[in-house]
Amino acid sequence: MTIVSPSLLSADFGHLAEELDMINRSEADWLHIDVMDGVFVPNISFGFPVLKHVAKLCRKPLDVHLMIVDPERYIDEVKALGTKIMNVHYEACRHIHRVVQQIRAAGMSPAVTLNPGTPVCVLKDIIGDVDMVLLMSVNPGFGGQKFIEHTLLKVAELKALIAETGSKALIEVDGGVNAETGARLVEAGAQALVAGNYVFSSKEPEKVIAGLKRL
Ligand code: DX5
Ligand code: ZN
């Protein structure tokens, strides 16, 4: 079954506890957490003082997607949330290899994210060291954007790179995911899907999550 990681960015922040109750009741595997700094991406979302409370209320492992420059500055804060996955952007790290090792040494699963304009081949020398690759299927910064079709080719390329190198990295995709784009992504080789707007704008979010799991 597909791993489903609903993105908190599209939740109703005025009713965060209820939204997290829904996630806890649902078949979601992880909760996707989009941290933005207003520098790497043109938006600011939420920071660690808020996430401390989210981590307390959420029973699902956190899939933390850091859209911030030099994310290694926050390894301790991310770890303190009890996080399973720390996801950093290739484009936001000066020394991606070192950062991946630092995340592993801190006891978390390192994941590397690529923007739509970054080719899969840049991962060649680190693919054996990461537990997951997140391909952005929109430019990061906002929920509710249109899926970029070219991502399907990147999923296939990444799948081939993983097979060639014997890496165990999972393939996750984030941005514009719904039942239709999700089905095509799974067919291309995606194993984990992030969905924000599609889940939280629904009147029946638990059903939507269950549907994504069965793609
Ligand atoms: C965008 C974020 C996404 C976002 C996805 O920068 O990384 O996780 O929440 O939202 P949807 O699923 O609405 O495209
Ligand atoms: Zn994200």
Side-chain angles (χ1 to χ4, degrees):
M1 282 220 275
T2 306
I3 295 167
V4 177
S5 192
S7 169
L8 187 69
L9 189 64
S10 295
D12 178 351
F13 296 153
H15 297 93
L16 208 43
E18 287 96 315
E19 298 281 55
L20 291 168
D21 278 346
M22 181 282 287
I23 293 292
N24 288 339
R25 280 193 311 268
S26 78
E27 291 183 59
D29 297 273
W30 304 330
L31 178 65
H32 187 82
I33 303 281
D34 290 302
V35 182
M36 303 179 187
D37 65 358
V39 178
F40 181 64
V41 290
N43 195 9
I44 298 176
S45 52
F46 33 68
F48 295 104
V50 175
L51 292 178
K52 247 197 299 192
H53 295 281
V54 171
K56 249 187 246 162
L57 295 170
C58 184
R59 292 200 302 270
K60 309 279 175 162
L62 304 182
D63 167 30
V64 179
H65 175 197
L66 296 168
M67 284 162 273
I68 63 176
V69 294
D70 301 333
E72 67 277 15
R73 293 173 295 152
Y74 295 100
I75 287 177
D76 291 345
E77 277 88 344
V78 175
K79 167 94 179 165
L81 296 174
T83 306
K84 178 183 152 86
I85 306 160
M86 177 163 167
N87 216 318
V88 296
H89 267 261
Y90 170 82
E91 305 86 356
C93 297
R94 269 169 253 240
H95 299 283
I96 189 69
H97 184 276
R98 177 184 292 145
V99 176
V100 164
Q101 314 304 323
Q102 287 172 323
I103 295 170
R104 178 83 69 198
M108 292 181 285
S109 271
V112 172
T113 306
L114 298 185
N115 276 335
T118 306
V120 166
C121 62
V122 301
L123 295 172
K124 189 167 107 15
D125 294 333
I126 52 163
I127 193 73
D129 296 326
V130 300
D131 289 345
M132 184 163 80
V133 174
L134 172 56
L135 295 177
M136 290 307 300
S137 40
V138 296
N139 282 293
F142 304 93
Q145 302 181 81
K146 190 175 176 297
F147 178 77
I148 298 171
E149 288 289 323
H150 180 69
T151 314
L152 290 160
L153 293 176
K154 288 176 79 172
V155 171
E157 270 176 33
L158 178 57
K159 193 178 169 189
L161 178 67
I162 288 170
E164 260 165 47
T165 55
S167 155
K168 297 201 166 49
L170 286 173
I171 302 177
E172 183 179 44
V173 181
D174 181 7
V177 169
N178 55 35
E180 186 266 323
T181 55
R184 289 191 289 142
L185 285 165
V186 169
E187 199 185 336
Q191 294 147 299
L193 297 175
V194 176
N197 197 50
Y198 182 55
V199 168
F200 286 98
S201 69
S202 164
K203 288 212 166 66
E204 296 182 302
E206 288 171 68
K207 268 199 188 154
V208 167
I209 292 168
L212 288 172
K213 276 213 68 66
R214 284 160 187 79
L215 289 180

